[in-house]
Amino acid sequence: MATSMFVPSVPAASSAPPLRAVTGNDDPGQVGSKASKLKALSDAGLRVPAFFVIPQEAFFQCLQPDVKNEFSRMDSAERTNAVASMSMTKEMADQIDWTIKGLSWQDERLAVRSSSSEEDGIKLSFAGQFASYLNVTGGEISRAVEQVWRSGFSKQVAAYRWLNGLTAPLQPPAVIVQLMVSAKYAGVAFGANPLNGDTGIVTISAVTGYGDKLVSGEVDSATYMLRGSKVESKHRPELAPLEAEQLSAIAALVRSAEKVFGSHQDIEWAIDQKGDLYILQSRPITALGAQQTSGCSDSNTDQAAASGNQKSPGLEPIEIFDNSNIGESYPGITTPLTFSFARKAYQYVYEQFCRLMGVSEAQIRQHAHVFPKMLGLICGRIYYNLINWYRLLSLFPGFKINRGFMEQMMGVKEALPRELSAEFDSQPSQAQRLVETARVAFLLPVLIFKWLALPIDIARFHKRVERSLKSVPGGLQELNASEIAALYRRLERQLLLRWDAPIINDFFAMVSFGVLRALCTKWFDQKHAGIANQLLCGESGIISTEPVRCMQHLADMARHQPELLSLLTATAADDVVAEPGVLESRFQNYPAFHDALSQYLKKFGDRCTGELKLESRTLTDNPRTLLQAIANLARTANASIALGEEDRTNNAASSRLEAEEAVRQDLHGKPVKSVV
């Protein structure tokens, strides 16, 4: 049953904008997206708490005349300053009081909420950006309305809009004044599983009491997953023990909202003390993005695949995830912050890789759903999405005629199951083979040129990195959110979007090793298994071995100075070792050691366990583990570690010489193979 929305007539002498119910003909800029959607839900017969709207024009009526006249010419910063000291006019406050009395809401608890025209869209939700006030009494309404208006000009709204490419000056939201629901349970519900896009699932999160605690993240929630009327899973139901009938009613409410708006919805709901279910807000699920459909279905077969898989009636999309190699880069539990950065980096880098490999812009656009989903975050750990890696490989020239080599080059040990590899297994026709061969032929000269120019590209890349890092200002903590975001975007443009040299270098290294391993397997494996790895061991000039040598040098300095070793051990155990100036003050009597330590931190201070994870504290942040390692090395008797390292280096070199001699003997009298 719909809740009626009405507003009594206001005094005829009032010239302020009318406070009123929303109609279907209202300008969305005046009443905002949230109010318009609540009106649509109410008209569709869903239970919406009664409300009225203070339209956007009311804000302008409360501005001082000089500010009002100049407002349209102000930028966002000037508007923020202009509204900081604004206050509601007596005429507008009287009209709000009159409206509340006419509705007999004087003794009611009310919610005062924003309703911006930019809120609750398919791409941007503005969730949590504007102010909302709950349990407001009649005498507090005017003050709450002022705060909601001001929130439209806050730094966080400005930063949110800037980060999402919205450049128009800030505008005030309309304001909804609504009856509070005395909630026994409240929460949110999604018409899909927001983690994998499964639209056959309704996801319900619930808390006891009001839902603002859930939205703000103050408390944990009970979570229920429903497919149809069946609860497929639940997490911590004791936090909000909803009955099956209540869960079914919430799921039906989500599906009803989807029919009203024609897309999968994220709703806020509340169950009052009498057991009545209300819908408080509805907006598209922004996480689904392009997966939003023109219409929604209650059928379990309406599945949206997170990787862009085609829907198959009765079948859920299947994904394969693998952590080979990437588990070394992102070990253990990884935060969503790091994952969001890593996923974007992989997207940008492999879009560039496709261009370098001669993939057309039309193909890249056609497969735009693949690049953002090269990785997956499952139970807090990062994995490769193998299906999408195959889709990436299939774009490259020669894949159709040389898939096996590409799989070997990428390190794939097992072929895809037959049911998943159908889209890659089709045998190319003669015409397709000719086209693929031509693509490879056109690409080869480009790759040869890139190989020859690689030293120059690497030098240019190093200069660009150094130039970009030197431009980073000191005292980042003094920058506001917008300035930090602007700095990040600039570095992203200068570095991440121009990651050409590392891509080319990695590609040639991967191809070279793939060719070497293929030839060794074909020519030598019967006599010398694994000789490809043996031919590459003992390589010198590897940067990753340098930190070990530097640590050994620091340990040698401490080993021969007992007082320094004692000081080093004590400092490594000190809780304040990470604070600024501690190392300088502790080791001021040992300048040579301090200089060598400072040089190590300057060069390798970001090298630590899980160094690619943004949440990892580096040695620059806290050098304790480095000091402990140096102290342990210094306490090690004589130079056994250094000798052990030397032995390993000598053994590796001997192993390589042995492999090279075996190859020479096997290729004796085979001049063509010898040249290869």
Side-chain angles (χ1 to χ4, degrees):
M1 178 181 293
T3 302
S4 61
M5 297 178 291
F6 63 93
V7 174
S9 59
V10 297
S14 174
S15 62
L19 313 183
R20 50 185 168 70
V22 179
T23 71
N25 297 321
D26 281 313
D27 177 5
Q30 286 297 320
V31 300
S33 176
K34 192 178 299 179
S36 298
K37 290 182 176 182
L38 289 177
K39 166 66 174 173
L41 293 167
S42 180
D43 287 348
L46 306 184
R47 186 180 279 114
V48 177
F51 69 94
F52 66 86
V53 176
I54 302 172
Q56 187 189 62
E57 61 185 300
F59 164 85
F60 294 101
Q61 293 292 332
C62 294
L63 292 177
Q64 294 295 323
D66 57 333
V67 175
K68 184 177 180 181
N69 293 336
E70 294 293 325
F71 200 80
S72 62
R73 291 185 284 273
M74 294 179 179
D75 61 22
S76 292
E78 291 170 334
R79 292 184 177 191
T80 299
N81 293 332
V83 302
S85 58
M86 73 163 293
S87 60
M88 184 177 293
T89 62
K90 184 178 186 303
E91 185 179 37
M92 183 62 63
D94 288 344
Q95 190 172 355
I96 292 174
D97 289 342
W98 181 276
T99 303
I100 289 174
K101 288 176 182 177
L103 294 170
S104 301
W105 287 359
Q106 303 95 310
D107 299 323
E108 299 288 348
R109 297 280 176 170
L110 305 173
V112 180
R113 312 166 66 196
S114 65
S115 181
S116 167
S117 60
E118 294 180 320
E119 284 185 275
D120 300 342
I122 291 178
K123 293 184 178 179
L124 300 177
S125 68
F126 277 82
Q129 301 302 311
F130 298 97
S132 293
Y133 296 91
L134 305 182
N135 290 308
V136 181
T137 59
E140 302 167 336
I141 293 292
S142 295
R143 173 66 174 164
V145 171
E146 289 177 3
Q147 294 299 98
V148 173
W149 278 339
R150 287 196 188 97
S151 72
F153 302 90
S154 67
K155 288 183 178 180
Q156 70 179 40
V157 170
Y160 182 91
R161 296 179 80 258
W162 185 87
L163 287 171
N164 288 285
L166 302 178
T167 57
L170 298 172
Q171 294 285 350
V175 182
I176 295 172
V177 180
Q178 188 173 31
L179 280 177
M180 284 289 299
V181 175
S182 180
K184 182 177 182 180
Y185 300 112
V188 297
F190 298 88
N193 183 334
L195 297 179
N196 64 14
D198 185 348
T199 56
I201 288 286
V202 171
T203 305
I204 300 171
S205 295
V207 296
T208 56
Y210 296 111
D212 60 314
K213 301 189 297 288
L214 170 61
V215 175
S216 66
E218 293 179 33
V219 298
D220 291 333
S221 65
T223 302
Y224 301 87
M225 297 279 194
L226 278 75
R227 188 178 296 278
S229 59
K230 179 184 177 183
V231 179
E232 283 202 347
S233 66
K234 50 189 176 181
H235 174 70
R236 302 195 69 182
E238 71 278 2
L239 297 177
L242 297 178
E243 299 175 359
E245 183 179 347
Q246 293 170 315
L247 292 170
S248 295
I250 296 169
L253 189 63
V254 175
R255 297 306 185 199
S256 296
E258 291 175 343
K259 290 176 181 177
V260 172
F261 300 116
S263 63
H264 302 296
Q265 296 290 295
D266 161 11
I267 72 167
E268 293 182 19
W269 56 268
I271 298 175
D272 68 9
Q273 300 297 327
K274 296 184 295 183
D276 292 332
L277 174 62
Y278 289 84
I279 185 167
L280 309 178
Q281 182 173 325
S282 186
R283 61 186 174 218
I285 303 176
T286 54
L288 291 182
Q291 297 178 44
Q292 292 282 33
T293 60
S294 58
C296 296
S297 167
D298 292 325
S299 169
N300 289 353
T301 63
D302 183 19
Q303 306 293 325
S307 67
N309 289 0
Q310 297 295 316
K311 298 178 188 176
S312 301
L315 296 176
E316 293 188 27
I318 298 175
E319 306 285 3
I320 296 181
F321 292 92
D322 185 273
N323 68 348
S324 298
N325 298 328
I326 201 167
E328 301 167 7
S329 300
Y330 300 96
I333 299 299
T334 301
T335 63
L337 175 65
T338 288
F339 173 69
S340 65
F341 174 80
R343 181 174 61 179
K344 200 169 188 179
Y346 272 73
Q347 174 186 346
Y348 289 162
V349 165
Y350 282 98
E351 285 175 351
Q352 294 173 70
F353 189 24
C354 282
R355 294 185 180 98
L356 291 170
M357 293 294 292
V359 180
S360 69
E361 291 296 329
Q363 284 183 297
I364 293 174
R365 286 194 299 271
Q366 183 182 352
H367 292 79
H369 62 282
V370 171
F371 297 101
K373 295 170 182 173
M374 304 297 293
L375 305 180
L377 184 67
I378 303 174
C379 298
R381 296 176 187 270
I382 294 183
Y383 294 81
Y384 287 131
N385 184 324
L386 285 188
I387 303 296
N388 281 340
W389 278 94
Y390 266 88
R391 291 194 177 102
L392 172 70
L393 282 177
S394 69
L395 298 178
F396 296 160
F399 176 80
K400 293 182 182 298
I401 59 177
N402 208 1
R403 173 179 162 184
F405 173 71
M406 288 196 176
E407 289 178 334
Q408 184 187 48
M409 186 179 72
M410 295 292 290
V412 175
K413 295 182 176 63
E414 296 183 20
L416 284 177
R418 183 174 300 173
E419 62 271 20
L420 295 179
S421 62
E423 65 179 288
F424 313 112
D425 282 343
S426 59
Q427 291 297 317
S429 64
Q430 188 64 31
Q432 288 176 321
R433 285 181 175 274
L434 289 174
V435 170
E436 286 296 297
T437 302
R439 290 181 68 195
V440 173
F442 279 116
L443 182 62
L444 277 176
V446 176
L447 293 180
I448 293 171
F449 174 78
K450 290 288 186 183
W451 191 328
L452 296 175
L454 185 56
I456 298 174
D457 288 339
I458 291 175
R460 287 173 178 169
F461 178 78
H462 284 161
K463 288 180 180 179
R464 190 162 64 244
V465 170
E466 291 298 323
R467 202 163 48 240
S468 298
L469 295 181
K470 285 180 180 178
S471 70
V472 176
L476 291 177
Q477 66 277 7
E478 298 175 2
L479 302 181
N480 60 37
S482 296
E483 291 169 332
I484 290 176
L487 173 61
Y488 171 79
R489 295 301 180 199
R490 176 167 60 79
L491 292 174
E492 187 177 59
R493 289 192 301 271
Q494 293 172 346
L495 299 177
L496 189 56
L497 298 182
R498 300 178 65 189
W499 205 252
D500 48 354
I503 298 174
I504 298 168
N505 187 72
D506 285 355
F507 172 72
F508 285 136
M510 190 165 55
V511 169
S512 300
F513 182 68
V515 171
L516 174 67
R517 186 167 59 179
L519 292 178
C520 288
T521 300
K522 184 176 181 180
W523 292 349
F524 308 121
D525 255 16
Q526 290 184 351
K527 295 182 179 179
H528 312 288
I531 198 171
N533 293 328
Q534 195 176 348
L535 284 167
L536 294 175
C537 65
E539 191 70 23
S540 61
I542 299 176
I543 190 66
S544 58
T545 63
E546 189 174 343
V548 176
R549 292 195 298 271
C550 293
M551 288 173 59
Q552 185 66 59
H553 173 64
L554 286 163
D556 288 341
M557 295 174 71
R559 179 183 296 115
H560 298 104
Q561 301 181 70
E563 299 84 358
L564 173 58
L565 180 56
S566 298
L567 178 60
L568 178 63
T569 303
T571 303
D574 200 325
D575 289 336
V576 299
V577 68
E579 294 183 5
V582 170
L583 296 184
E584 291 86 346
S585 62
R586 296 291 175 86
F587 299 111
Q588 59 183 338
N589 294 329
Y590 303 93
F593 179 85
H594 179 259
D595 289 346
L597 180 61
S598 298
Q599 287 299 315
Y600 182 98
L601 291 173
K602 182 178 180 180
K603 195 169 185 179
F604 303 112
D606 289 330
R607 304 298 298 267
C608 62
T609 303
E611 61 195 35
L612 295 183
K613 297 163 67 171
L614 301 183
E615 63 271 17
S616 296
R617 297 198 68 189
T618 67
L619 296 177
T620 301
D621 296 327
N622 188 345
R624 173 177 290 176
T625 56
L626 173 63
L627 299 179
Q628 290 173 340
I630 294 171
N632 290 337
L633 284 174
R635 285 193 294 269
T636 302
N638 59 55
S640 59
I641 290 181
L643 292 174
E645 181 67 27
E646 184 178 347
D647 288 342
R648 284 191 292 272
T649 301
N650 291 335
N651 290 338
S654 298
S655 179
R656 178 169 179 160
L657 291 173
E658 178 185 330
E660 290 174 347
E661 181 60 29
V663 167
R664 274 192 292 270
Q665 291 180 6
D666 280 9
L667 296 182
H668 182 69
K670 303 173 183 176
V672 175
K673 288 185 178 181
S674 296
V675 170
V676 173

